[in-house]
């Protein structure tokens, strides 16, 4: 009996609880209402009785279905994202592989470039050496040519006969020495005799300007006797000069204006063959070319400037970490001087082992250039330095000894800094 009472109490409690839940939750109330229909009512609903209203599709079962649908959609979205991420990973891997391959190719190209650079440097040094040897050989031949003309003199504007022969030319010259140059007859007879006298050049016809006479003296003292009386021709239309090969004559043409200018300034200037001496000091031909607007010896095409260690000005060696920098400056008159200067510089055992030698030169506004030597834009920075300082006729080299660490951008600052130092040092020496 007590168990029945307890069951009734639990039933009433559940109904009371259900009743209170129904009042608080209409949807639950409707759900419970459906569950409390009689079997006949369920049969009516099942058979589609229009008099019965079907319960609204709400409740926990319906909510779980929606959640399941959403979860399915989310899983599909996640699967799609995973596939996209997988494809993206494959793409990144492909890009990484390509980048590694490209870097490998770049390293190979860099190594090949360094190898070719060394080959070019060796070839450049070889060419420079051959050029110097060729210049020296040409100078030797030119010296022999000059010596063959050592006893010759040229005479200008002496009258020329219509059908003049060599004997007639000799008589005209002998009369000229006596009458115009005022050389005493006894000295002419005693000291002057000729191996050969003749006109040079093509005869142009009647009324044309007389061709020059070239006379080869039998003795050198006879030639010097005639030159000693050349001052007697001052103010006349006649002239006399030594004979030189065309190459030497072209060089003298560059030096003569400099000699005249120095004499006007009160200096003692003397031109000996193709060498100008001012107050006893040799005035280099390349310097004369620079003074004359960078003219070149167009007749011979030979640059006869050979550089030595004394031609260079050097800066102090600057060390930054395991990198070293040193600048060198030299005067240049033409572009080929840069190669010759570099060859001389590389001959120095202390500089020959430099990793690279950067250079820039400036001869005039229209003639300048640079060589980065593998250090991109380093040579251009040196050229900008020369332009800012308005330095003409100068070439700057910077030797760089590279270490194992990466130098960074500060190396450009050091390259320009040592270049500026050596440029100022060169200017001090000229003051």
């Amino acid at each position: 009996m007590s168990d029945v009472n307890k069951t009734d109490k639990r039933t009433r409690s559940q109904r009371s609880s259900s009743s209170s839940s129904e009042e608080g939750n209409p949807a639950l109330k409707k759900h419970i209402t459906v569950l409390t229909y009689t079997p006949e009512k369920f049969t009516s609903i099942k058979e589609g009785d229009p008099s019965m209203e079907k319960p609204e599709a709400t409740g926990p079962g319906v909510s779980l279905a929606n959640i399941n649908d959403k979860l399915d959609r989310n899983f599909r979205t996640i699967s799609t994202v995973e596939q996209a991420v997988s494809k993206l990973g494959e793409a990144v891997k492909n890009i990484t592989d390509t980048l590694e391959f490209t870097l490998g190719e770049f390293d190979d190209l860099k190594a090949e470039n360094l190898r070719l650079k060394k080959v070019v440097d060796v070839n450049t040094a070889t060419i420079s050496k051959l050029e110097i040897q060729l210049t020296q050989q040409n100078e030797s031949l030119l010296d022999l040519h000059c010596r063959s003309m050592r006893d010759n003199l040229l005479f200008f504007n002496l009258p020329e006969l219509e059908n003049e022969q060599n004997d007639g030319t000799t008589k005209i010259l002998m009369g000229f020495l006596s009458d115009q140059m005022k050389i005493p007859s006894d000295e002419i007879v005693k000291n002057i005799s000729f191996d050969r006298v003749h006109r040079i050049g093509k005869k142009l016809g009647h009324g044309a300007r007389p061709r020059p006479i070239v006379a080869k003296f039998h003795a050198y003292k006879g030639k010097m006797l005639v030159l000693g009386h050349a001052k007697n021709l001052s103010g006349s239309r006649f002239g006399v000069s030594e004979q030189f090969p065309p190459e030497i004559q072209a060089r003298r043409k560059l030096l003569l204006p400099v000699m005249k200018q120095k004499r006007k300034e009160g200096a003692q200037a003397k031109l000996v063959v193709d060498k100008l001496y001012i107050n006893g000091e040799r005035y280099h031909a390349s310097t004369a070319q620079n003074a004359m607007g960078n003219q070149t010896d167009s007749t011979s095409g030979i640059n006869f400037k050979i550089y030595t260690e004394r031609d260079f000005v050097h800066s102090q060696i600057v060390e930054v970490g395991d990198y070293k920098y040193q600048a060198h400056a030299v005067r240049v008159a033409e572009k080929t001087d840069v190669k010759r200067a570099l060859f001389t510089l590389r001959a120095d055992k202390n500089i020959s082992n430099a990793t690279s030698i950067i250079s820039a030169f400036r001869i005039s506004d229209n003639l300048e250039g640079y060589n980065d030597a593998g250090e991109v834009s380093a040579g251009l920075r040196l050229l900008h330095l020369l332009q800012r300082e308005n330095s003409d006729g100068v070439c700057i080299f910077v030797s760089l000894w590279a270490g194992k660490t990466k130098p960074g951008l500060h190396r450009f600052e050091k390259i320009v800094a040592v270049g500026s130092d050596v440029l100022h040092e060169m200017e001090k020496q000229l003051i």
Side-chain angles (χ1 to χ4, degrees), residues 331-348:
R331 291 284 175 183
V332 292
E334 55 186 42
K335 191 173 181 180
T336 54
D337 286 346
V338 178
K339 290 184 179 180
R340 289 173 171 81
L342 179 60
F343 177 77
T344 302
L345 201 61
R346 287 189 178 278
D348 188 322

Side-chain angles (χ1 to χ4, degrees), residues 19 50 123 151 166 182 185 214 279 355 381 407 415:
S19 176
N123 290 340
D151 298 325
N166 288 346
K182 311 299 182 184
S185 298
V214 58
N279 295 329
T355 306
R381 291 170 187 251
I415 290 170

Side-chain angles (χ1 to χ4, degrees), residues 153-174 176 196-204 208-216 238 243:
L153 284 180
L154 291 172
F155 298 87
F156 302 94
N157 290 327
L158 274 67
E160 183 176 1
L161 301 178
E162 183 68 26
N163 296 313
E164 183 178 297
Q165 301 297 321
N166 288 346
D167 290 343
T169 304
T170 302
K171 291 179 181 179
I172 292 173
L173 179 57
M174 295 295 286
F176 174 78
R196 181 175 175 82
V197 177
H198 63 90
R199 301 271 181 178
I200 57 174
K202 185 178 180 180
K203 189 172 183 179
L204 299 178
R209 185 176 179 176
R211 291 175 295 166
I213 294 176
V214 58
K216 182 175 180 61
F238 305 109
Q243 187 183 24

Side-chain angles (χ1 to χ4, degrees), residues 236-277:
S236 69
R237 70 177 188 275
F238 305 109
V240 59
S241 70
E242 295 180 273
Q243 187 183 24
F244 298 103
E247 297 88 346
I248 299 298
Q249 194 62 39
R251 297 174 187 177
R252 288 173 62 87
K253 185 177 180 181
L254 296 175
L255 294 168
L256 280 171
V258 179
M259 182 186 71
K260 293 178 181 179
Q261 179 63 32
K262 294 298 181 181
R263 285 179 176 177
K264 287 182 181 179
E265 296 172 359
Q268 293 182 353
K270 183 179 181 181
L271 185 58
V272 180
V273 189
D274 62 348
K275 300 176 180 63
L276 177 61
Y277 295 89

Side-chain angles (χ1 to χ4, degrees), residues 48-69:
D49 186 356
S51 64
M52 292 300 297
E53 180 182 355
K54 293 181 182 180
E56 189 176 350
T58 59
V62 177
S63 300
L64 289 175
N66 291 338
I67 291 172
N68 287 333
D69 290 341

Side-chain angles (χ1 to χ4, degrees), residues 11 53 62 87-88 97 131 133 148 171 177 189 242 280 283 345 350 372 374 415 430:
T11 303
E53 180 182 355
V62 177
K87 291 181 179 179
L88 181 60
D97 293 341
E131 286 179 343
Q133 291 176 352
S148 69
K171 291 179 181 179
L177 297 177
V189 173
E242 295 180 273
Y283 190 80
L345 201 61
N350 296 322
D372 290 330
I415 290 170
L430 293 177

